[in-house]
Amino acid sequence: MLKKRIIPVLLLKNGRMVKGVQFDNYRDTGDAVSASRIYNAQYADELMFIDIEASGAGRGALLHVIEEVSEECFMPLTVGGGVRSCDDIQQFLRAGADKVLITTAATESYEVIRQGAEMFGAQCIVAGVDIRTVDDQYRVFSHCGKTMTELELIAHVEALQDAGAGELLITSIDRDGGMEGYDLGLFKLIQSVSRVPVIVNGGAGHFMHLVDAIKAGAHAVACASVFHFGDNNPIRARSYLKNHAIAVKNVK
Amino acid sequence: MICLLDYGAGNLRSVSNAIEYLGYDCVISDSPAVISDASHLIIPGVGSYPAAMNNLCERELLPVIHDFANSGRPLMGICLGMQILSEIGLEYGETVGLGLIPGQVVSLPTEDLVLPHVGWNSLELNWDHPCFVRIKTGLDFYFVHSFCFHTSPEFALATTDYGVNFASVVAKDNVLGVQFHPEKSQDAGLRLIENFLDWDGQC
């Protein structure tokens, strides 16, 4: 049977790994390639790299990280940050990425999702949606949480899938870095209209949060803080999930 | 010399990284001369069945691939590369495949499970094969696909459960096809690639 996935997320700013709270107050958390090597040794299911600055310099650094990581780490790599065109997608795939995450560009037009899926296959395209609660409503944000869009959440999720996205990454900005658990209300709302695998992101602080999200139906759980801060790692995460009767990857 | 087929439809870099990591050398090529000289041929594949077959036809690679298969040397198709080993693909209409292993490629008939089938899943090996030695039962491999290879049991070396049992590995003589990505399946996948590179094509 298909196993549930635990995906460490590495945020990059100027080539360095960072972590923040609610998409702000980022602090340096080390070297991305070193961290990737450790995750690889711990048999992480996948790795996700996101360039939060998406500037010219940041892109170069991220490409370099992917090139190095893909030479030694033989698991799926997803890369995102400032992807706006098929040329961007091609650039990341050539560097060694298997999947490309598209978030902000898709809030402006679904064309990059559509063209990307057509040219490279839906399995290459992960559509990201960043959500913050404003006046008790879930609102779609772009530009790393800086800009509130006018998009209606469910309509946007439907459109992303119609355009050909192979997976959805749903991130709660409110819960990000808070280590108090995923926003399962948000997840269930998305789940009601999802036709592709959904990865939940934002808020994991304890392995029980991963259990809760998976039992609510998430196909995969993305996490950063839970691994960065403390001595938790993917091996312990898998063990914890297994003890809660969740099927996880068998490596040995 | 190990040849990794370059036909514009594959994640070549990941596969070549894995081969080199294992200590082997490989050449990435679409030249008939290079392919016919190779000891092993690997056909990767990402994208769609019609696009892949179109690319092969445009590069006039069908004869040299058939010759290679007929010579008895080891040939492995990965993901879409495995699917095009079939006779026909039904993705976006009907497309003729390489016809090296009997069968058709059809949409994965899962009723209530989402597509694509993405993630780590295990194999039920139906008989012993040189490419699966030293790979423990129950290890997971990384899958990402929406179509599957429909064939008769005699060619389904392994099946995988995703709502239905589909052929995750197909094999006929010196030809092997794997639906998953061994170059993305960590130790188990690297072991499979290594076994393939050590294989002489005999069963």
Side-chain angles (χ1 to χ4, degrees), chain B residues 134-150:
Chain B
R134 296 173 307 135
I135 295 177
K136 260 167 62 175
T137 313
L139 292 182
D140 290 306
F141 293 83
Y142 185 78
F143 288 82
V144 56
H145 61 113
S146 302
F147 286 77
C148 68
F149 201 120
H150 183 68

Side-chain angles (χ1 to χ4, degrees), chain A residues 1-3 5 40 43-46 67 70-72 74-77 94-99 120 123 166-167 195-197 219 248-252, chain B residues 11 13-14 17-19 21 46-47 114-122 136 138-140 142-145 161-162 182-188 190:
Chain A
M1 67 183 296
L2 185 64
K3 312 303 185 291
R5 292 171 280 154
N40 187 49
Y43 298 103
D45 296 336
E46 298 187 21
E67 277 163 12
S70 62
E71 277 173 17
E72 310 170 29
F74 300 100
M75 83 279 249
L77 306 175
R94 282 220 173 105
D98 300 286
K99 302 189 250 184
F120 307 102
Q123 81 291 329
E167 286 177 279
R195 300 165 250 144
V196 300
H219 296 91
V248 292
K249 184 178 70 186
N250 287 317
V251 295
K252 295 246 183 259
Chain B
N11 192 351
R13 195 192 182 110
S14 299
N17 279 345
I19 293 171
Y21 182 84
V46 170
V114 295
L115 286 180
H117 170 220
V118 188
W120 297 82
N121 208 337
S122 54
K136 260 167 62 175
L139 292 182
D140 290 306
Y142 185 78
F143 288 82
V144 56
H145 61 113
D161 169 39
Y162 187 56
E183 78 282 10
K184 294 281 141 188
S185 297
Q186 292 166 329
D187 286 4
L190 290 175

Side-chain angles (χ1 to χ4, degrees), chain B residues 103-176:
Chain B
Q104 301 192 327
V105 168
V106 300
S107 190
L108 248 178
T110 72
E111 278 172 10
D112 47 353
L113 295 177
V114 295
L115 286 180
H117 170 220
V118 188
W120 297 82
N121 208 337
S122 54
L123 318 177
E124 192 77 50
L125 208 64
N126 293 319
W127 65 86
D128 290 333
H129 189 285
C131 290
F132 281 86
V133 297
R134 296 173 307 135
I135 295 177
K136 260 167 62 175
T137 313
L139 292 182
D140 290 306
F141 293 83
Y142 185 78
F143 288 82
V144 56
H145 61 113
S146 302
F147 286 77
C148 68
F149 201 120
H150 183 68
T151 185
S152 51
E154 68 182 288
F155 303 113
L157 173 55
T159 53
T160 292
D161 169 39
Y162 187 56
V164 290
N165 279 322
F166 67 91
S168 40
V169 183
V170 292
K172 180 172 182 265
D173 303 322
N174 57 310
V175 180
L176 182 78

Side-chain angles (χ1 to χ4, degrees), chain A residues 209-222:
Chain A
H209 299 146
L210 312 188
V211 172
D212 292 337
I214 289 170
K215 292 204 163 160
H219 296 91
V221 286

Side-chain angles (χ1 to χ4, degrees), chain A residues 152-163:
Chain A
E152 197 277 308
L153 176 60
I154 294 302
H156 182 53
V157 169
E158 292 272 37
L160 290 169
Q161 294 176 100
D162 290 341

